[in-house]
Amino acid sequence: MKCALVTGGSRGIGSAICQKLADDKRYHILINYQSNRDAAEKTLEEVIKRGASGEVIKFNVSDAEGVKNTLTAWQEANPESIVEVIVNNAGITKD
């Protein structure tokens, strides 16, 4: 299965990117979120409405070890899948 990972995919621009990728119907959309699972689930609903498949995946992009662990576990659970597209939409701010 071909996949597209969108960091910060649960809201705003990230959600719009997920939905646009879903229109293409070539990718299983991995919708990354950090804390707002409800928003990620709503984005997933929109992806499915557009005829694509997807799933939500939680990690904090500012935690390199956490990202590595989460994505390694996902890949081990999905050995036939390949992430062909990565959209680094999530932002890290230190105000």
Side-chain angles (χ1 to χ4, degrees):
M1 172 169 45
K2 296 178 182 180
C3 301
L5 169 63
V6 181
T7 65
S10 64
R11 297 180 290 172
I13 293 170
S15 180
I17 292 167
C18 290
Q19 292 175 52
K20 190 64 176 172
L21 285 166
D23 287 340
D24 192 17
K25 295 178 186 60
R26 287 191 295 170
Y27 300 106
H28 177 79
I29 313 297
L30 302 175
I31 304 162
N32 164 248
Y33 73 101
Q34 178 181 338
S35 60
N36 192 336
R37 184 173 183 95
D38 288 341
E41 292 289 347
K42 286 179 184 174
T43 298
L44 178 58
E45 288 174 16
E46 289 300 320
V47 164
I48 292 168
K49 281 182 191 176
R50 293 167 184 259
S53 65
E55 65 188 275
V56 299
I57 187 165
K58 181 179 181 175
F59 59 82
N60 179 344
V61 297
S62 68
D63 176 7
E65 190 66 26
V67 172
K68 179 181 175 185
N69 292 338
T70 300
L71 293 180
T72 297
W74 180 88
Q75 188 66 67
E76 288 172 355
N78 299 279
E80 300 299 318
S81 298
I82 183 166
V83 176
E84 287 192 344
V85 175
I86 299 174
V87 179
N88 289 310
N89 173 69
I92 302 169
T93 60
K94 295 189 181 197
D95 297 337

